[in-house]
Amino acid sequence: MYPSQTRRALAETIAGGLGVRPERLDWFLLGVAGLLVALGIAFIASASSHGGEGWGYAGRQGFFLLLGLAGFVVVQRADYRTLLRWSPALYLGGLVLLCGVFATRPVNGARSWYDLYFFKLQPSELLKPVLILTLAYYLMYRDSYKRLTGLLVPLVLCFVPMALILKQPDLGTTMTLVPVVFAMLYAAAARLWHLGLMVLCGAAGLTGMWFTIMKDYQKRRVLAWLYPEQYRLSEAWQQLQAKIAIGSGGFFGSGWGENSQSNLNLLPEKHTDFIFAVAAEEGGFLTVCFVVLLHCALALSGLHIASRTREPAGRLIAVGIAALLGGQALINMSVALGLLPTTGVTMPFVSYGGSSLISSLLCLGLLVNIGAKQEIMLGRETFE
Amino acid sequence: MNWPAPPATHAAAARSAATTLTGTRPAAAAKRAGLPTFQLRVRVLAACFALGFGVIAARLVQLQLVNGAYYREQARTGGGVQRLDAAPRGAIGDRLGNPLARDLPSYDLAVRADRLPFENTGYKDLSALREKLQARAEAEKRALSPADRQLLDAALEEIRGRALREPWVRRLAQTIQADETVIAAGIADACDRIARKWAMASAPVTILRGIDPNAWTMLSVLQEDKFRNPGPPKRGAPAASIAVPLEGAPEREEPAFPGLVCVHSVRRAYLHGSLASHVLGVLGELQPEQLDCLREQGVLTDHLEERRAIWTRQRERLTAAQAAELATVLGADPRELRGLGELLGALQALDPARRRRAAELGLADAVRWIDRPPRMELCEAERIALGAGQSRQDGRPRGRLVDLRLGLTGVEAWYNDLLRGRHGFETFGGQDAARLNPEALPREGRMLALTLNPAWQRACERALASQPRPAAMVVLDCHTGEVLAMASFPDFDPNLFSPPREGKERQAALKAVLQDPRKPLTNRCIGEQYPLGSVFKPFVAAVALEQGLVRPGERFECRGWVQEGQTRFHCDGRRAHGSVDLREALRRSCNVCFYHLGARLGVEGLAPWAKAAGLGRRTGLDLPGEASGIYPDRAWRERRFPNSTWDRAWSRGKDYHLAIGQGYMSVTPLQAACLMASIANGGLAVTPRLWLDAFAPEPQPLGLSPAALAVVREGLDEAVNVGTPGARGTAYAPFHAGERLAVRVAGKTGTADTGRENEAPHAWFGGYAPAQNPRVAFVVLVENGGHGGEVAAPLAYQALKEIYGTAGGQ
């Protein structure tokens, strides 16, 4: 068999498994996501290799990957519009799960997980694609969001889970939903000044929160971000160490497994929220730029799928997913680079964590699903 | 795959939505509506993301490419987060090797006042309350309000007030068998400290030092167990790893002794109290203010970088053959030595010939370094602790600075580098922590044996303390320059300074020392300079004899005064001595005779001799804070009076004054002792030193012949031992009034006018013993004591009596 034939056979097998014709499958997107996952496992392995965990984390991430792939295939094979129809039920189910989490025992002061013995389920992660579906389901029918009052329903739809997640407390996951909401509303042609108003209200709300419900540790994180030297041994520790790790990587990096900062447990959460710092130290500018490029490509090709899709719900879902994956990556990197206060946000596909990986793969499945349903486009649109 | 047909309603809905969104509406309509098309909006979103990722990339360029080197250094040192590992400081001993100062382990108890419970505000402890207030203040972007302060003060007051009533204080007092009030006072002290400086709130304040080690151990076990939080038990973890609370102990939330911290520390103990306090010196904490002070005094230098460069250069240049030969010269392989400090130490102990050889073998830079005045330098750990080279905020000391001590005065300062050894530092993370870094291990300081003879030192101090005035006494080995005793009165107990800040009594004693107008901290033997008075005469006589300006038997007619211009220059007490020769002039301290000698010699004629004998410059004793004294030669006058020709000009009268050790000239008691040593040892200038192992330069001949010196020494012998009525030696009375000494002493009294009205002259007595075969030279000075023969000489007698004993029990 010639190599080209092998390749074709392989492509047909994969595409067949996903129920799509190979030429319909967004190979680029799959390749980007695959690379990110592979890099992620490599960095998780090196980040945890000296912590006495051996390959444990990487192995478990592999297991999560299998779970996630299963979810990916399911979502990809299903008709996303069926999912769309189910989204209110999924949404309510998600809310129930989010409420149920308050009955669990807190871990690190937060109630965010269900302990399922083989992995810890984080309902807020799973709620992300569900929320996108729900928002799209709501928005695709109406044009009421062009009125200020019409924005109320989608905002409430977002606000309820966000409030619940914030209550866990998990500021990071809440934050990742913000760009999703804005991008979807904007893409759905909400008026700009309405969105601007929302930003203002959000700012006012945050200010209000600062004085009312925000926890001391959250405030200190913000202060630590503003004045890292004053908090260098406490709140700013993580970020300073991350900066050192990233900066010391230089151009070529210290090499795989040569991460002094994280090996010595100087950098907490190195394999989850700060995997970017590990990548930057070991891989250097070269590798980490590649990671940034991959994430950028992921977000942009998500948006590209959105722009190619003529079906309104599909478009919105694609925009939402692009905003979720891209926004989350941006927030995660910004935190590691000290551009934002420390919040626990994972990097999609790369960070260790079952819920995060599965959720990201589900999103990817949706995206690929939408991208593959191109036959609905009958002719070239005379785009306005 | 086939796209399942959506239900009709959905299809319709989708169609209508599509219409609304972007789909079929003509472009013109969309533009009229002022809405960006979906495509455009998606592109805007894409641009936003591209921008976001661009910012990330730019930040990566900044961190990794532009500032990469900085962060790599930070990564090496773990971001500068290091804990100091203080080296044990070397002991200081006397010449017999008995320790005078050493580190002793100290089992201490401290309290963290912010952990102490109080009631009236409903907070667990002070730190909880303060955190709350602080957080509120920070959130409102303001400093603590007066009301907050009041709240804190009230809480502090309560803690202080409760201390005596607390049951745990009573329990603690019983456990360690201490007085409750002492503990309460310690708590009050801690409260005071917090009230002064809230930033120190969490720093433990030592309340008891040196408690019984067993009790200490028991307490520390108890406390640790109380404070340790085992956390939720891990699944599958063996049950044994779950900490079991001590039987009968209170609940975990309520530690048995709240806020109590067991501290294991060292204490610099000066074993003989104030003995040789000025020589030993004191330690201080490594603090920037202290450093500035030391830098000003020229004790501290910041040549570390330069030194390190030298060391690297030297080590790199060495060939194997050179290294091998150096190893034999130095007695140690230079490549094995760590750092230039040790190399210098090794070089310092070499004689000049071997040192020269070492220089030839490639250690020229290092040898040259030794010839600079040796001083204190900070070791790397200390610099890191101080955050040297960076702003204080950025410099990140994480060790307990209290652990780092620094010699501030005396031998502790001069040989700080040797005594300190090398502090280590534990790096938290960073590549340095990954491997064992031998450079980072602490290395014990070296023990120094001083030249002091403890018995003699004690004798001298006792003699000086028998009178009230500030006084100084130096005893030198007149052949080698070893300082056998160096006493300055009043003195102090160096233990007061280590540990600093503890207890009210110590505080009060320290205050008394610091505020005493007699300046007990000053080492008068080297730190102050005085007109020498008649003790200078033997030297003048020796030089005049050597130069042939006077014959040994030449007689001078003393009428009690000499006229020069309008001024009469008198003899002491305006007495006429009649016809005196040089010996008698020395014996009876005739000024007129020396006026003549002074006129014959002239200030510049005497200058080279004075210079050779070490007047007007530091002797080079290994103690900081040495004054140089003054010899008023032309160079000095030009420096001193750059604008006044009148002052610069010299006159016969000034020659007269110089010859009797008055006028501009001034010396430190140590310089006077060196002068006496030169006369006693046959005209060799010695360099005094305090470290027994320090390199001793060969005594340099002054060029005074034995014949000339013999005349002078006869005169000095007579001054002490001739009691002819009417022509008695000036120091005869004190040495022959009571018991005779077991040794024959020679010496010269001095009564030096201070030049100030209404001030008694300084009393001097300088001499040597035994008179025939001198071994030691000594000098006594009593500030504003009066007549040398009446005040200073008796003190010398008293000290010498204790040193040599009395003759055969007579």
Side-chain angles (χ1 to χ4, degrees):
Chain A
M1 235 185 213
Y2 294 109
S4 63
Q5 284 174 312
T6 320
R7 213 158 50 228
R8 198 180 311 143
L10 188 67
E12 271 168 3
T13 315
I14 295 175
L18 294 173
V20 201
R21 287 210 300 282
E23 60 270 23
R24 288 234 165 266
L25 209 52
D26 196 333
W27 291 105
F28 178 71
L29 200 56
L30 288 182
V32 166
L35 266 176
L36 282 175
V37 172
L39 281 171
I41 290 184
F43 289 130
I44 289 165
S46 87
S48 53
S49 56
H50 296 262
E53 287 279 350
W55 283 80
Y57 278 119
R60 254 175 282 167
Q61 181 81 343
F63 169 67
F64 298 145
L65 178 62
L66 289 181
L67 278 185
L69 281 178
F72 172 80
V73 170
V74 167
V75 171
Q76 152 67 25
R77 288 195 72 123
D79 179 357
Y80 72 84
R81 290 189 301 183
T82 315
L83 291 174
L84 208 57
R85 247 175 295 138
W86 280 97
S87 65
L90 290 174
Y91 179 79
L92 288 177
L95 287 191
V96 170
L97 278 181
L98 273 186
C99 292
V101 100
F102 290 111
T104 60
R105 216 178 47 205
V107 178
N108 292 339
R111 296 183 167 94
S112 307
W113 299 274
Y114 289 109
D115 199 342
L116 297 184
Y117 291 96
F118 59 98
F119 94 105
K120 282 187 183 155
L121 181 72
Q122 194 179 350
S124 55
E125 286 287 346
L126 296 183
L127 196 87
K128 288 174 182 172
V130 171
L131 185 68
I132 291 171
L133 280 173
T134 315
L135 269 181
Y137 185 69
Y138 178 82
L139 290 174
M140 74 174 187
Y141 284 125
R142 296 170 176 77
D143 57 359
S144 56
Y145 39 78
K146 289 187 182 164
R147 292 189 309 275
L148 192 55
T149 46
L151 285 174
L152 217 60
V153 177
L155 284 186
V156 167
L157 279 181
C158 306
F159 186 73
V160 173
M162 276 167 81
L164 285 173
I165 297 171
L166 201 59
K167 188 81 182 59
Q168 287 179 355
D170 184 355
L171 187 64
T173 309
T174 319
M175 292 299 297
T176 56
L177 292 177
V178 173
V180 175
V181 176
F182 273 90
M184 287 181 75
L185 285 175
Y186 174 67
R191 289 181 199 278
L192 269 181
W193 74 269
H194 288 163
L195 294 179
L197 202 65
M198 276 169 59
V199 172
L200 280 182
C201 288
L206 274 181
T207 322
M209 273 164 59
W210 180 276
F211 293 111
T212 51
I213 59 167
M214 224 155 137
K215 299 259 188 316
D216 266 354
Y217 82 90
Q218 290 167 334
K219 289 189 205 171
R220 277 203 300 272
R221 280 185 183 180
V222 176
L223 290 173
W225 170 63
L226 292 173
Y227 314 105
E229 286 307 333
Q230 287 177 23
Y231 294 86
R232 49 176 303 276
L233 292 178
S234 47
E235 276 76 20
W237 166 264
Q238 209 172 359
Q239 228 165 34
L240 278 174
Q241 294 302 324
K243 256 199 258 180
I244 292 171
I246 293 169
S248 64
F251 191 77
F252 293 108
S254 51
W256 188 79
E258 297 290 321
N259 49 352
S260 63
Q261 288 298 106
S262 31
N263 277 348
L264 295 150
N265 288 325
L266 244 68
L267 186 58
E269 304 295 340
K270 61 199 174 198
H271 57 290
T272 58
D273 300 347
F274 279 86
I275 192 79
F276 184 71
V278 177
E281 186 180 6
E282 298 186 2
F285 185 71
L286 218 53
T287 312
V288 91
C289 262
F290 184 54
V291 171
V292 173
L293 266 181
L294 286 178
H295 272 295
C296 193
L298 198 66
L300 293 187
S301 62
L303 290 174
H304 181 60
I305 287 174
S307 77
R308 277 189 324 181
T309 307
R310 291 181 56 201
E311 198 273 321
R315 292 179 158 184
L316 288 178
I317 295 172
V319 166
I321 288 173
L324 176 70
L325 296 181
Q328 201 175 326
L330 271 178
I331 293 177
N332 174 282
M333 293 176 188
S334 303
V335 167
L337 289 167
L339 297 172
L340 281 180
T342 312
T343 53
V345 176
T346 54
M347 181 180 266
F349 301 110
V350 183
S351 285
Y352 172 81
S355 305
S356 165
L357 183 62
I358 291 169
S359 162
S360 302
L361 283 167
L362 289 180
C363 287
L364 187 74
L366 272 175
L367 206 53
V368 174
N369 189 341
I370 294 166
K373 301 283 189 304
Q374 297 280 320
E375 60 255 83
I376 203 166
M377 189 172 80
L378 296 173
R380 188 166 177 77
E381 212 174 1
T382 51
F383 265 116
E384 307 94 280
Chain B
M1 81 173 279
N2 49 346
W3 180 260
T9 49
H10 278 265
R15 244 191 324 279
S16 84
T19 315
T20 321
L21 275 171
T22 55
T24 51
R25 184 187 283 181
K31 287 215 172 94
R32 263 198 311 278
L35 283 174
T37 65
F38 182 75
Q39 292 292 311
L40 192 56
R41 289 196 297 268
V42 167
R43 271 180 211 157
V44 169
L45 283 177
C48 288
F49 276 108
L51 185 71
F53 285 108
V55 168
I56 299 288
R59 177 72 167 169
L60 279 172
V61 168
Q62 185 205 352
L63 288 186
Q64 296 198 294
L65 303 187
V66 180
N67 296 333
Y70 169 75
Y71 285 111
R72 257 193 299 284
E73 173 64 18
Q74 295 264 296
R76 191 181 67 75
T77 57
V81 177
Q82 288 166 326
R83 208 191 58 193
L84 291 158
D85 202 351
R89 198 174 171 87
I92 305 176
D94 58 31
R95 62 183 299 125
L96 308 172
N98 303 317
L100 296 170
R102 67 190 293 188
D103 275 357
L104 290 181
S106 181
Y107 298 90
D108 306 341
L109 290 184
V111 285
R112 281 186 59 173
D114 63 334
R115 285 274 174 80
L116 296 178
F118 65 103
E119 268 158 10
N120 64 2
T121 44
Y123 289 93
K124 191 174 104 250
D125 55 30
L126 208 51
S127 52
L129 169 65
R130 179 151 187 279
E131 207 160 283
K132 181 77 186 171
L133 295 177
Q134 196 84 41
R136 198 195 298 157
E138 255 172 47
E140 294 168 24
K141 295 240 179 296
R142 59 174 170 82
L144 284 181
S145 70
D148 293 344
R149 287 238 166 263
Q150 252 172 15
L151 208 58
L152 288 171
D153 288 345
L156 265 181
E157 205 49 51
E158 191 200 328
I159 291 174
R160 194 202 311 259
R162 275 170 68 140
L164 260 181
R165 287 179 284 123
E166 287 277 0
W168 70 267
V169 171
R170 207 168 310 132
R171 243 181 304 137
L172 178 63
Q174 282 165 4
T175 313
I176 58 176
Q177 290 169 4
D179 195 354
E180 273 174 57
T181 52
V182 176
I183 301 172
I187 292 173
D189 213 38
C191 290
D192 288 345
R193 204 162 147 193
I194 291 184
R196 275 202 305 276
K197 199 173 179 186
W198 273 94
M200 306 290 283
S202 59
V205 176
T206 306
I207 53 172
L208 282 170
R209 281 185 192 278
I211 70 166
D212 175 42
N214 291 328
W216 184 88
T217 311
M218 201 186 81
L219 278 174
S220 67
V221 169
L222 205 61
Q223 286 301 102
E224 265 201 22
D225 191 66
K226 289 287 148 265
F227 281 129
R228 194 183 295 143
N229 178 12
K234 274 187 184 165
R235 199 183 10 233
S241 74
I242 301 167
V244 182
L246 274 172
E247 224 173 303
E251 282 300 301
R252 188 162 298 284
E253 280 68 32
E254 244 177 82
F257 304 108
L260 191 70
V261 186
C262 297
V263 189
H264 186 209
S265 65
V266 290
R267 179 173 69 88
R268 190 65 163 175
Y270 297 89
L271 303 174
H272 301 281
S274 65
L275 184 75
S277 51
H278 295 102
V279 172
L280 295 175
V282 300
L283 291 180
E285 288 173 33
L286 180 70
Q287 297 289 354
E289 304 82 54
Q290 310 266 32
L291 295 182
D292 291 344
C293 182
L294 285 169
R295 244 178 234 124
E296 250 168 54
Q297 292 174 21
V299 178
L300 179 72
T301 52
D302 286 324
H303 293 310
L304 195 76
E305 290 310 318
E306 199 182 332
R307 279 179 62 149
R308 193 175 297 142
I310 288 182
W311 174 232
T312 322
R313 209 160 56 224
Q314 307 258 306
R315 189 151 52 171
E316 277 168 6
R317 276 200 208 137
L318 286 183
T319 63
Q322 279 176 328
E325 190 175 348
L326 265 176
T328 59
V329 173
L330 287 173
D333 190 332
R335 287 165 304 184
E336 299 278 300
L337 298 177
R338 274 202 213 98
L340 192 67
E342 281 184 26
L343 177 67
L344 292 185
L347 283 173
Q348 220 149 19
L350 296 184
D351 57 55
R354 291 167 79 186
R355 206 189 277 183
R356 227 173 295 126
R357 183 78 194 115
E360 286 164 15
L361 284 168
L363 296 184
D365 286 346
V367 171
R368 212 172 304 130
W369 191 275
I370 297 181
D371 297 333
R372 297 194 188 192
R375 312 17 13 207
M376 189 195 290
E377 278 161 24
L378 299 182
C379 72
E380 186 164 2
E382 287 172 329
R383 287 158 59 87
I384 288 171
L386 287 166
Q390 300 162 4
S391 72
R392 291 291 305 284
Q393 276 179 347
D394 197 33
R396 24 200 75 172
R398 218 203 167 178
R400 286 157 56 210
L401 281 188
V402 188
D403 282 353
L404 289 191
R405 297 164 299 169
L406 192 71
L408 295 183
T409 59
V411 168
E412 295 272 26
W414 192 262
Y415 289 117
N416 185 62
D417 294 14
L418 286 174
L419 289 167
R420 174 191 58 212
R422 196 186 51 220
H423 295 316
F425 40 88
E426 248 180 287
T427 307
F428 276 74
Q431 286 136 15
D432 281 357
R435 53 187 113 86
L436 186 66
N437 181 3
E439 290 280 327
L441 292 178
R443 196 194 231 306
E444 197 174 345
R446 178 166 177 169
M447 170 166 174
L448 294 186
L450 299 185
T451 55
L452 293 184
N453 182 324
W456 292 23
Q457 177 75 23
R458 190 167 284 119
C460 293
E461 288 186 10
R462 213 172 285 163
L464 295 189
S466 66
Q467 52 85 49
R469 288 200 178 71
M473 179 164 187
V474 182
V475 182
L476 292 180
D477 182 316
C478 67
H479 299 287
T480 62
E482 287 173 9
V483 178
L484 299 170
M486 176 176 266
S488 177
F489 179 83
D491 54 12
F492 61 96
D493 184 354
N495 287 310
L496 282 180
F497 293 83
S498 71
R501 288 204 303 264
E502 186 218 341
K504 284 214 159 60
E505 288 164 41
R506 196 181 280 276
Q507 204 65 274
L510 192 57
K511 204 168 159 188
V513 166
L514 293 174
Q515 292 181 346
D516 192 330
R518 297 180 303 175
K519 296 194 284 182
L521 295 179
T522 308
N523 185 355
R524 292 185 156 73
C525 300
I526 57 169
E528 299 274 342
Q529 47 196 34
Y530 307 89
L532 181 51
S534 305
V535 183
F536 193 41
K537 284 176 186 169
F539 182 70
V540 173
V543 174
L545 281 167
E546 182 61 35
Q547 294 219 332
L549 299 175
V550 61
R551 280 172 288 106
E554 187 174 339
R555 299 199 79 80
F556 297 87
E557 185 58 34
C558 172
R559 287 178 292 164
W561 49 268
V562 167
Q563 182 95 17
E564 176 65 33
Q566 299 298 311
T567 325
R568 276 189 180 179
F569 294 84
H570 290 279
C571 245
D572 186 30
R574 309 196 170 210
R575 251 173 330 148
H577 292 102
S579 169
V580 292
D581 67 356
L582 213 46
R583 270 186 3 224
E584 203 174 342
L586 282 171
R587 184 206 313 160
R588 300 174 64 193
S589 200
C590 172
N591 287 356
V592 169
C593 164
F594 283 91
Y595 291 152
H596 291 301
L597 293 192
R600 290 179 199 176
L601 272 164
V603 63
E604 297 307 331
L606 191 58
W609 300 87
K611 192 137 280 177
L615 299 184
R617 62 175 167 84
R618 298 194 179 96
T619 60
L621 180 74
D622 32 7
L623 275 190
E626 200 186 347
S628 61
I630 295 168
Y631 181 80
D633 58 2
R634 191 180 307 282
W636 178 84
R637 294 200 304 273
E638 274 165 10
R639 262 202 322 277
R640 176 72 181 78
F641 307 110
N643 304 318
S644 162
T645 24
W646 188 87
D647 281 319
R648 253 199 329 266
W650 200 250
S651 66
R652 177 59 51 85
K654 288 178 180 173
D655 272 335
Y656 286 175
H657 270 152
L658 178 66
I660 61 165
Q662 298 277 177
Y664 292 134
M665 84 158 296
S666 68
V667 297
T668 65
L670 179 68
Q671 284 174 324
C674 289
L675 213 56
M676 291 316 298
S678 299
I679 289 165
N681 66 18
L684 299 173
V686 294
T687 306
R689 67 195 163 96
L690 269 165
W691 181 25
L692 207 52
D693 295 341
F695 167 70
E698 274 305 294
Q700 297 299 311
L702 291 174
L704 295 173
S705 64
L709 284 172
V711 175
V712 173
R713 277 161 61 173
E714 260 176 65
L716 296 185
D717 190 9
E718 287 176 12
V720 177
N721 298 313
V722 171
T724 323
R728 251 183 5 191
T730 47
Y732 178 82
F735 279 86
H736 295 85
E739 296 167 288
R740 293 277 303 284
L741 291 182
V743 69
R744 189 180 171 95
V745 177
K748 180 76 195 79
T749 59
T751 308
D753 281 324
T754 60
R756 282 184 289 267
E757 291 289 323
N758 307 322
E759 224 183 57
H762 298 313
W764 284 93
F765 182 71
Y768 51 86
Q772 305 310 321
N773 179 26
R775 298 298 308 261
V776 302
F778 59 85
V779 153
V780 182
L781 159 85
V782 181
E783 260 181 41
N784 306 117
H787 199 277
E790 288 161 13
V791 179
L795 296 185
Y797 168 78
Q798 205 176 320
L800 291 170
K801 187 168 91 175
E802 207 169 315
I803 291 170
Y804 286 103
T806 47
Q810 286 175 19

